Amino acid sequence: MKHDVRKLLSVTAIAAVLVLPQTAWAADYTIRASHSEAPESPLHKGYEVFKAYVEGASAGQIEVIISPAGQLGSIKDGLEQVKAGAIQVAQADEQTLDAFYKPMMILATPYLFANDEEANQFLASDLFTETNLKMAEEAGLRMLSAASYGFRNFTNNKHPIKSAADMAGIKMRVPPSPMSLAMVQAMGGSPTPIPWEELYGAMQTGVVDGQENPIGVIHDYSFNEVQKHLTVDNHQLGLNSIVIGEAFFKSLPLELREVVATGAVMASATEYGERNYQSRVVTVDALRDRGMEIYFPSAEEVASFRDAVQQPMQDYLNQELDPAFVTAVYDEIGNIRQQRAAAAQ
């Protein structure tokens, strides 16, 4: 009985430490974290979970300071600051990491993943783990965790896009990414790079006919006001990741590295859970209620998109990366797909 009481007192003491106010301790380490999204976003909620977990589980040895909404600059700016050691943690997405470590461009490949779970299994694979460690060694950046913020989908004002052939003649806004340009071109569309800040106006004035973004983005930025048709083809995974500076990470004692890594995984799980519900339920219904015509292609129709871009994408990747790495990625995802199919039988 005495042992149980002592154990209870010990647990109570630990719990008390975890809820002490910030001023009750002087942290041994400070993590300054940057991201580009609003304080009410699912991503920021994830960062708040990261802060709460890391500060609590480290018993105050680590203080986390979050700078949201691009206060420290763009996503790329944040990663450059992490690389320079000015801050410790920053957001990355599928379009930015390749500027620091080129093989990461593989994550932006159109129609590479059929769903979020395929992507999650690939990110947990030995192949990607090795790629991430090489990025840490060569670029000084380590991905701690990642969360899908939804697959990108096409919208336009001309007509429903039900197959790759329907892309012909459409001026489709794309981000300034060679892969996005090649994708729309391969479908017969007219890819038009437009800065994000100018996109709404470009659609409003007819400079472009359409654009492609995750459903949550289409909803949050009211693209339904200037776009009529939405095709849920899920052509490219939107992936937010939490990246830490390798030098800082290695400077932490092993037990604190585990705390930080666990906190990042919890943060990404928080973001993914909320975004997944929003993009599949709330925002679809809301966009339909606002007058958008939403089309869900059949498996055969999605295949027409995928078939149109697969070879051009592989050719492009083979030019930019080691072809053996590109083959290994496609083989890994093929194996994941087979295993998932077998498990479903």
Side-chain angles (χ1 to χ4, degrees):
M1 182 66 180
K2 289 181 180 179
H3 176 74
D4 290 343
V5 170
R6 284 197 300 270
K7 184 176 180 181
L8 177 61
L9 290 173
S10 175
V11 170
T12 304
I14 291 171
V17 169
L18 295 183
V19 297
L20 282 174
Q22 184 75 27
T23 54
W25 62 65
D28 298 319
Y29 303 93
T30 299
I31 292 178
R32 293 172 178 83
S34 171
H35 70 75
S36 67
E37 298 193 23
E40 61 271 17
S41 68
L43 181 142
H44 184 72
K45 291 175 184 176
Y47 274 66
E48 288 180 322
V49 168
F50 175 75
K51 173 181 171 68
Y53 178 80
V54 169
E55 289 183 345
S58 71
Q61 293 181 77
I62 302 175
E63 176 188 15
V64 178
I65 301 170
I66 305 169
S67 296
Q71 291 175 3
L72 300 183
S74 67
I75 294 175
K76 188 175 180 183
D77 292 336
L79 292 169
E80 287 174 344
Q81 291 172 61
V82 170
K83 187 175 174 67
I87 63 175
Q88 290 69 47
V89 163
Q91 170 196 7
D93 64 16
E94 76 285 353
Q95 303 282 355
T96 52
L97 272 179
D98 67 313
F100 299 87
Y101 187 65
K102 205 168 186 180
M104 286 296 182
M105 72 165 51
I106 201 78
L107 295 174
T109 304
Y111 303 104
L112 183 66
F113 302 112
N115 52 57
D116 294 327
E117 286 308 307
E118 276 188 10
N120 290 338
Q121 286 184 242
F122 175 74
L123 292 172
S125 69
D126 291 342
L127 175 62
F128 186 77
T129 298
E130 181 182 346
T131 304
N132 190 25
L133 290 175
K134 286 181 179 177
M135 180 173 72
E137 294 168 5
E138 297 180 25
L141 300 173
R142 177 189 290 253
M143 183 190 293
L144 291 177
S145 64
S148 165
Y149 63 89
F151 280 79
R152 299 175 80 94
N153 301 286
F154 293 114
T155 68
N156 85 102
N157 273 328
K158 282 198 156 185
H159 53 248
I161 299 174
K162 298 183 178 181
S163 68
D166 293 329
M167 190 71 74
I170 292 181
K171 293 179 291 184
M172 183 66 64
R173 180 268 177 180
V174 293
S177 159
M179 200 169 290
S180 297
L181 285 163
M183 173 186 68
V184 172
Q185 219 161 28
M187 293 181 186
S190 178
T192 309
I194 298 282
W196 168 255
E197 296 77 12
E198 301 173 18
L199 175 55
Y200 188 96
M203 292 186 290
Q204 192 173 37
T205 59
V207 172
V208 292
D209 302 314
Q211 62 84 53
E212 43 88 53
N213 261 299
I215 293 176
V217 173
I218 294 165
H219 170 271
D220 292 347
Y221 289 89
S222 301
F223 287 172
N224 56 281
E225 296 174 350
V226 290
Q227 295 280 274
K228 180 66 175 175
H229 305 284
L230 164 62
T231 298
V232 185
D233 68 300
N234 294 332
H235 57 263
Q236 189 181 51
L237 177 69
L239 193 72
N240 276 330
S241 54
I242 295 177
V243 173
I244 194 167
E246 180 69 0
F248 173 77
F249 187 68
K250 286 294 184 66
S251 76
L252 296 172
L254 181 58
E255 64 273 14
L256 292 185
R257 290 184 218 169
E258 293 175 355
V259 166
V260 170
T262 300
V265 170
M266 293 171 70
S268 290
T270 300
E271 179 189 5
Y272 173 67
E274 185 163 348
R275 286 195 190 276
N276 192 34
Y277 179 73
Q278 286 179 343
S279 65
R280 298 184 187 280
V281 181
V282 177
T283 51
V284 171
D285 290 343
L287 289 171
R288 191 178 280 118
D289 289 344
R290 293 178 187 180
M292 282 199 94
E293 294 181 5
I294 302 176
Y295 184 74
F296 289 85
S298 66
E300 292 77 15
E301 289 167 332
V302 171
S304 79
F305 292 108
R306 186 175 59 248
D307 293 347
V309 304
Q310 188 166 17
Q311 195 57 54
M313 289 299 101
Q314 283 189 294
D315 292 343
Y316 174 75
L317 289 168
N318 285 333
Q319 290 172 5
E320 297 293 320
L321 303 174
D322 179 358
F325 172 70
V326 176
T327 298
V329 168
Y330 276 95
D331 287 347
E332 180 68 33
I333 294 169
N335 290 335
I336 290 170
R337 203 161 285 161
Q338 288 180 357
Q339 291 166 9
R340 290 175 57 79
Q345 290 179 357

